[in-house]
Amino acid sequence: MTQTASPPPHAAPDDLLATYRKSIDNIDAALIHILAERFRITKAVGEHKARLALPPADPSREKAQIARMRQLAEEAELDPAFSEKFLRFVIDEVIRHHERARDG
């Protein structure tokens, strides 16, 4: 009796799943590029704030951005709590970068 070789563990068992995964991979790549562009811009913002001796964090803007993102998430049928956690993670990282810019 001969055994057929099973596909590697990461291979999709069917064409539809492979198509879905390809789409997910493309979206993941787009997210990385968008985040990279966002961080290039926020780096410039941090350098500008440092030159003007402005604080790295802006709590009122953060609050407004979180409210805006929660609204966008609801409209897009995405969990607003998830979107807030994600944005908070990004904001915290941006603040760290701005602190580094300030501290030279």
Side-chain angles (χ1 to χ4, degrees):
M1 180 188 315
T2 60
Q3 284 187 323
T4 58
S6 59
H10 65 281
D14 63 54
D15 290 341
L16 182 57
L17 184 56
T19 299
Y20 289 150
R21 287 180 174 172
K22 177 74 171 154
S23 292
I24 290 168
D25 291 349
N26 289 339
I27 293 166
D28 288 346
L31 285 170
I32 293 300
H33 289 281
I34 289 168
L35 282 170
E37 182 62 19
R38 189 185 196 286
F39 275 91
R40 277 189 284 279
I41 295 166
T42 59
K43 179 180 181 197
V45 168
E47 291 166 353
H48 184 70
K49 284 180 166 184
R51 281 191 300 276
L52 298 177
L54 295 172
D58 184 343
S60 63
R61 169 139 170 95
E62 293 164 25
K63 183 178 178 181
Q65 284 295 94
I66 288 170
R68 187 173 79 77
M69 291 294 283
R70 287 184 69 91
Q71 181 63 40
L72 287 170
E74 287 178 21
E75 292 167 7
E77 298 180 9
L78 179 67
D79 179 3
F82 168 77
S83 70
E84 182 173 345
K85 287 177 194 172
F86 177 77
L87 186 59
R88 173 67 5 210
F89 175 79
V90 171
I91 289 170
D92 290 346
E93 187 64 19
V94 167
I95 290 169
R96 280 187 343 97
H97 291 193
H98 289 186
E99 289 169 344
R100 277 189 290 195
R102 176 198 62 200
D103 298 341

